[in-house]
Amino acid sequence: MLIRTKAEIPSSEITPRETYMNRRAFMARAATAGVVASVAAVAGGGISRLMRPRDVEAAEKLNVVGSPLSLTGEAPTSFEDITHYNNFYEFGVDKGDPARYAGTLKTRPWAVQVEGLVKQKKTFDIDALMKLKQMEERVYRFRCVEGWSMVIPWAGYSLSEFIKACDPLPGANYVQFISLADSKTEKLPFDAGISWPYSEGLRMDEAMHPLTLLTFGLYGEVLPNQDGAPVRLIVPWKYGFKSAKSIVKVKFVKSQPETTWSVMSPGEYGFYSNVNPNRDHPRWSQKTERVIGAPIYAQRKPTLMFNGYGDQVASLYAGMDLKKNY
Ligand code: MTE
């Protein structure tokens, strides 16, 4: 993965003071909204509770209810950072490239094909897929293998709901997710070193875990293109690269599928990719993370095993050596 150390981060990526001050004010507002959110969730939900700043052109709003699986008490990262500090190599290797160039991505018409070990091949039109289940707002920690993290209010429903609708056969042990690769609407740059299409995979029990989110939005609105519109995956206890964007195909398979980064550099990026502070990346430590948008004094914090979701997911890996199965 294309990694830059702190010293290599160009000044253009250092937040201007004015933006920084606005962000602090926004995060304070968002933290308050989070409290209201929990109350709304207990009361049975409603439309999204976390609102993005008004000065950004509005996108299509989603009808989302609260979720007991949301974090409480952690201020969400600003909408600006979530949408301007991205990895979406189809549009370039710089963190600002997706926001600059993903406007060319055409998200309608869009369909997700289901194939492999299923009773019957199926194609889900995106608008039908969005209505398959009630969407929830899930505020999750998001940790990138490069060493930065955010807190993001995603919108979607558990992937397990979609998998049930796919009718997989008993021999389907893994699920593979394949992203769009379309040279007419995406740059697909050579210097990303990726053999397109981008693809990722999960073991079936990981895919069926209630935390694994089929994601259509953030901050209560449809995903901005740079964040993986119109549909992506979010697996909050794994490094961000497991969360494939702009998915066009889901394949149920018997054996562990090849995935983009593990094929490109298997010694660095394993199939499991659980956030694991005890297993350093060969070129850097994973013990701490840089919290994007946090005040200087709180920018570095210790990384938690499974990104803090250990109570929910550790049992999936009982008996496995997670230093070997990284
Ligand atoms: N999906 C596709 N199709 N292409 C990508 O380049 N990058 C991955 C993941 N999903 C990527 C992708 C990586 S490395 C990360 S860290 C996350 O998306 C970034 O998601 P974000 O930009 O919404 O923060």
Side-chain angles (χ1 to χ4, degrees):
M1 202 165 293
L2 297 147
I3 305 289
R4 286 171 299 172
T5 62
K6 216 172 179 180
E8 291 170 308
I9 295 172
S11 57
S12 61
E13 281 186 21
I14 296 170
T15 313
R17 186 173 179 282
E18 197 189 359
T19 315
Y20 172 80
M21 295 311 284
N22 287 342
R23 178 182 302 142
R24 299 262 54 74
F26 170 69
M27 283 178 75
R29 288 201 303 278
T32 314
V35 176
V36 178
S38 322
V39 176
V42 172
I47 57 159
S48 174
R49 304 98 9 112
L50 288 170
M51 310 297 268
R52 68 181 195 174
R54 293 220 177 100
D55 55 348
V56 184
E57 201 186 318
E60 187 195 330
K61 292 250 182 306
L62 296 172
N63 177 11
V64 293
V65 298
S67 165
L69 297 174
S70 269
L71 296 176
T72 51
E74 282 184 49
T77 307
S78 74
F79 180 82
E80 190 199 315
D81 279 336
I82 297 171
T83 57
H84 288 81
Y85 193 87
N86 298 98
N87 280 334
F88 198 172
Y89 292 104
E90 285 85 335
F91 295 99
V93 300
D94 186 86
K95 293 281 178 284
D97 283 346
R100 266 193 289 275
Y101 302 121
T104 55
L105 178 69
K106 277 185 70 187
T107 58
R108 293 293 186 287
W110 191 280
V112 177
Q113 289 178 347
V114 176
E115 57 184 56
L117 297 173
V118 281
K119 274 198 188 126
Q120 210 182 343
K121 280 187 181 179
K122 285 184 185 171
T123 300
F124 289 82
D125 176 73
I126 187 66
D127 294 307
L129 194 58
M130 290 174 77
K131 291 191 201 112
L132 188 71
K133 287 285 157 184
Q134 170 68 58
M135 283 195 215
E136 295 178 3
E137 181 165 84
R138 301 261 188 96
V139 183
Y140 281 165
R141 274 183 220 105
F142 186 83
R143 167 67 156 80
C144 178
V145 72
E146 296 164 334
W148 49 268
S149 68
M150 300 191 188
V151 173
I152 304 182
W154 300 111
Y157 50 78
S158 291
L159 177 70
S160 61
E161 303 286 2
F162 170 68
I163 291 181
K164 283 182 220 154
C166 295
D167 275 334
L169 295 170
N173 299 325
Y174 294 86
V175 198
Q176 192 177 13
F177 304 90
I178 297 161
S179 299
L180 179 75
D182 173 17
S183 59
K184 291 198 196 82
T185 56
E186 298 176 316
K187 287 164 101 62
L188 305 180
F190 181 72
D191 61 351
I194 290 178
S195 155
W196 312 105
Y198 191 98
S199 83
E200 260 308 335
L202 293 171
R203 216 172 55 189
M204 191 60 130
D205 56 349
E206 298 177 320
M208 290 299 288
H209 193 282
L211 281 173
T212 305
L213 195 68
L214 193 62
T215 307
F216 304 92
L218 62 86
Y219 271 105
E221 296 177 2
V222 292
L223 285 169
N225 286 358
Q226 60 265 40
D227 286 274
V231 57
R232 70 174 299 177
L233 202 65
I234 291 296
V235 196
W237 69 95
K238 292 179 181 279
Y239 292 120
F241 67 86
K242 293 299 284 182
S243 297
K245 294 178 165 183
S246 304
I247 295 169
V248 290
K249 197 181 280 182
V250 176
K251 212 169 163 180
F252 291 86
V253 292
K254 183 170 185 292
S255 313
Q256 188 176 300
E258 290 192 335
T259 58
T260 291
W261 295 104
S262 60
V263 165
M264 198 194 276
S265 189
E268 297 184 281
Y269 312 107
F271 177 81
Y272 282 94
S273 312
N274 291 318
V275 174
N276 184 354
N278 307 314
R279 201 266 175 192
D280 287 342
H281 183 280
R283 291 185 279 138
W284 60 87
S285 161
Q286 293 289 12
K287 290 206 165 40
T288 64
E289 62 204 54
R290 181 168 65 95
V291 183
I292 301 289
I296 301 287
Y297 62 83
Q299 270 199 3
R300 281 251 149 232
K301 68 170 200 183
T303 289
L304 301 171
M305 186 68 199
F306 297 116
N307 205 20
Y309 294 95
D311 286 351
Q312 293 102 310
V313 301
S315 60
L316 296 177
Y317 309 101
M320 281 176 75
D321 180 344
L322 294 180
K323 280 193 181 166
K324 283 196 183 131
N325 296 287
Y326 54 85

